Amino acid sequence: MKDFAVPLVIAVIGLAATGLGAVVGARATKFGAEKSAEAARRQVQDQGAIEHGHWLRQQRFSTYESLLEAWDECLRLTQASAADDGPDSTGLEDLRLAADRMAGRARRIAILGPPEVTHAAESLAETMQEDVKVAVRFIEVAQAAITAVDGLPVPIEAMSEATDEYQHGNQQLAELVSDHRSQGRDLRELDGHPLLRAAMESMEQYRQTSGKAREALNANVERISAAASEAFSMADVLTRNREARELSREQFTSAAREALSKTPTPELRADPW
């Protein structure tokens, strides 16, 4: 009986060992397959991220370059406007469109990043658009002042004629008085004299004409002074914007150079196994 039991136990143990080995082998095979699949997945993911980084760098480069092109166009239009006698609506419309293009490209940079480049680009676009608004306002103020002055002209010709008549009448009256005195005659005799009456009329005409001229001149001076005061304020804004753009241009160039100096790459995870 013992001779039979021993081989049977050995056979059972062998069978169990064989089954256990099969289970362990299957699990090992599955583990190896999962690990290989995970490694392949990470490789594909990392390769995709690297390719995306190259794409992002190229998109940034193109967009940064397009912003600078719009910036150069704004500068050219601004310089051309400054070379003219004064800004006109056509030149301002061209400048407005160029500034809007800058703003559109700054918005695209906000999507592509990084934040340092975005901030500088937005500052460049915002100050340029504000310059356009200031220039439009300047034209409106100047045209309003010109219209107001044209609507209340100073009566220069009428003033000149009244002055001549007044001086001529005074001269005739002075000669008449001198003649009367030289003849020893009473000046009261001149009361109602045609020359005296004409001199008084010319004096009144001169007073009325000069009053109208003075009122028109004062009103026009006030309008021109108000327009000049607003123009000075606008000039201060333009000066501040120009200084801000110079700083923003330096910041943009530096940040863009830094962003383009390296291709964005994903962070590679350590193998957990």
Side-chain angles (χ1 to χ4, degrees):
M1 185 66 180
K2 291 181 180 180
D3 293 339
F4 175 76
V6 171
L8 180 59
V9 172
I10 294 175
V12 172
I13 293 174
L15 181 61
T18 300
L20 180 62
V23 172
V24 172
R27 290 185 176 180
T29 300
K30 181 179 179 182
F31 175 79
E34 289 177 350
K35 185 174 182 181
S36 297
E38 176 63 19
R41 186 188 66 79
R42 288 202 310 270
Q43 183 178 5
V44 171
Q45 184 181 37
D46 294 343
Q47 181 62 32
I50 291 173
E51 291 178 357
H52 175 74
H54 284 291
W55 173 86
L56 179 59
R57 182 180 183 278
Q58 183 59 42
Q59 291 297 311
R60 284 176 172 178
F61 176 81
S62 299
T63 307
Y64 296 171
E65 188 176 43
S66 67
L67 176 78
L68 293 178
E69 289 175 353
W71 161 253
D72 290 339
E73 183 181 7
C74 287
L75 286 183
R76 178 183 61 79
L77 292 171
T78 301
Q79 293 169 354
S81 177
D84 295 337
D85 293 337
D88 54 33
S89 57
T90 302
L92 279 180
E93 179 62 16
D94 293 340
L95 181 58
R96 185 189 66 78
L97 292 175
D100 287 347
R101 283 192 289 273
M102 274 190 68
R105 290 161 190 178
R107 287 191 293 269
R108 177 162 175 75
I109 289 175
I111 298 174
L112 298 173
E116 295 80 6
V117 180
T118 297
H119 176 74
E122 289 176 342
S123 178
L124 282 172
E126 288 171 1
T127 54
M128 183 56 69
Q129 286 185 310
E130 186 177 12
D131 278 6
V132 174
K133 293 179 181 179
V134 169
V136 171
R137 176 58 183 164
F138 174 80
I139 289 182
E140 292 175 349
V141 170
Q143 290 179 341
I146 292 173
T147 300
V149 170
D150 289 343
L152 189 62
V154 178
I156 298 177
E157 293 184 0
M159 184 66 189
S160 177
E161 293 177 358
T163 301
D164 290 342
E165 291 180 3
Y166 171 70
Q167 292 176 343
H168 179 67
N170 276 353
Q171 182 178 359
Q172 288 183 323
L173 182 59
E175 293 175 353
L176 179 62
V177 170
S178 177
D179 289 343
H180 269 63
R181 284 178 175 174
S182 64
Q183 297 172 9
R185 299 172 61 182
D186 189 350
L187 293 180
R188 285 177 294 182
E189 297 177 1
L190 296 177
D191 188 20
H193 195 283
L195 287 180
L196 177 60
R197 186 168 54 252
M200 296 299 294
E201 291 175 354
S202 66
M203 183 181 298
E204 178 62 20
Q205 181 65 27
Y206 173 79
R207 187 187 66 80
Q208 293 179 0
T209 303
S210 62
K212 292 179 181 179
R214 184 167 54 253
E215 290 176 358
L217 182 61
N218 289 337
N220 290 338
V221 168
E222 289 180 1
R223 291 188 176 93
I224 294 174
S225 296
S229 178
E230 191 167 354
F232 287 138
S233 298
M234 295 177 192
D236 290 339
V237 173
L238 295 176
T239 300
R240 289 196 301 270
N241 286 348
R242 186 183 66 250
E243 294 172 351
R245 279 196 300 273
E246 290 175 356
L247 178 59
S248 297
R249 175 60 186 269
E250 293 178 0
Q251 293 174 341
F252 177 83
T253 302
S254 177
R257 186 181 296 113
E258 175 67 20
L260 296 174
S261 64
K262 50 190 177 182
T263 301
T265 56
E267 294 182 1
L268 301 179
R269 297 172 296 174
D271 192 341
W273 308 106

